Amino acid sequence: MILVSECLAGVPCRMDGKSKPVPGIVKLVEEGKAIPVCPEVLGGLPTPRIPSERLGDRVINKEGEDVTAAFVKGAEESLRICREYGCSFAVLKSKSPSCGVGVIHNGLFDGGLTAGNGVFADLLLREGVTVMTEKEFNLTADS
Ligand code: SF4
């Protein structure tokens, strides 16, 4: 079983109330081969929600509020689901402060990027789960 970011499965759980469906991931979920999770929703944040970005060890929203606790709670709850389904592999939405892998927004809300992982991606990596972005997944699916 594969763990996937819920927005990639076509669920409108993003901060703007939209989704980012990837056909190959939607199909995996429909076939029962992937489990979708949205750590930010599981952390109790509303949809739509105020944009947030990682800034060092914290997560700050665009109004300057520290929302780290919700992000950590959502990551832990999503990890629980990952374990429940025995997932050792995850496909996560790129650049997100929760799900981003390798590159995320820089915390300045200026569209800039920096090296790093989202809070949930970091937790999965620490737990030994293999993670990739939907961009890497598409490259793999195309090859
Ligand atoms: Fe998608 Fe992850 Fe953001 Fe949820 S937290 S909307 S799954 S990128």
Side-chain angles (χ1 to χ4, degrees):
M1 191 67 86
I2 299 170
L3 196 79
V4 296
S5 292
E6 199 156 7
C7 56
L8 300 177
V11 177
C13 53
R14 281 166 55 89
M15 61 188 176
D16 58 4
K18 296 179 181 171
S19 64
K20 282 275 183 182
V22 170
I25 292 175
V26 173
K27 188 162 177 278
L28 284 173
V29 172
E30 285 172 353
E31 292 172 347
K33 295 174 181 167
I35 290 294
V37 294
C38 178
E40 292 176 24
V41 169
L42 289 171
L45 295 167
T47 305
R49 52 190 169 274
I50 302 163
S52 299
E53 296 190 2
R54 284 197 88 169
L55 194 58
D57 286 341
R58 314 304 300 171
V59 185
I60 310 295
N61 73 19
K62 205 171 181 180
E63 294 187 353
E65 295 161 337
D66 187 326
V67 289
T68 309
F71 274 68
V72 170
K73 178 174 179 250
E76 289 172 346
E77 181 61 20
S78 301
L79 174 64
R80 190 189 63 71
I81 294 168
C82 178
R83 285 185 175 139
E84 188 178 321
Y85 285 88
C87 304
S88 57
F89 178 65
V91 183
L92 302 179
K93 175 71 186 74
S94 58
K95 297 186 277 190
S96 151
S98 285
C99 296
V101 180
V103 178
I104 54 173
H105 289 286
N106 62 10
L108 302 175
F109 298 96
D110 62 359
L113 300 171
T114 188
N117 301 314
V119 174
F120 179 46
D122 251 350
L123 183 60
L124 288 182
L125 286 165
R126 284 201 302 276
E127 294 291 323
V129 177
T130 301
V131 299
M132 68 163 58
T133 67
E134 81 283 12
K135 297 177 194 304
E136 294 163 314
F137 172 83
N138 279 332
L139 287 174
T140 307
D142 287 346
S143 61

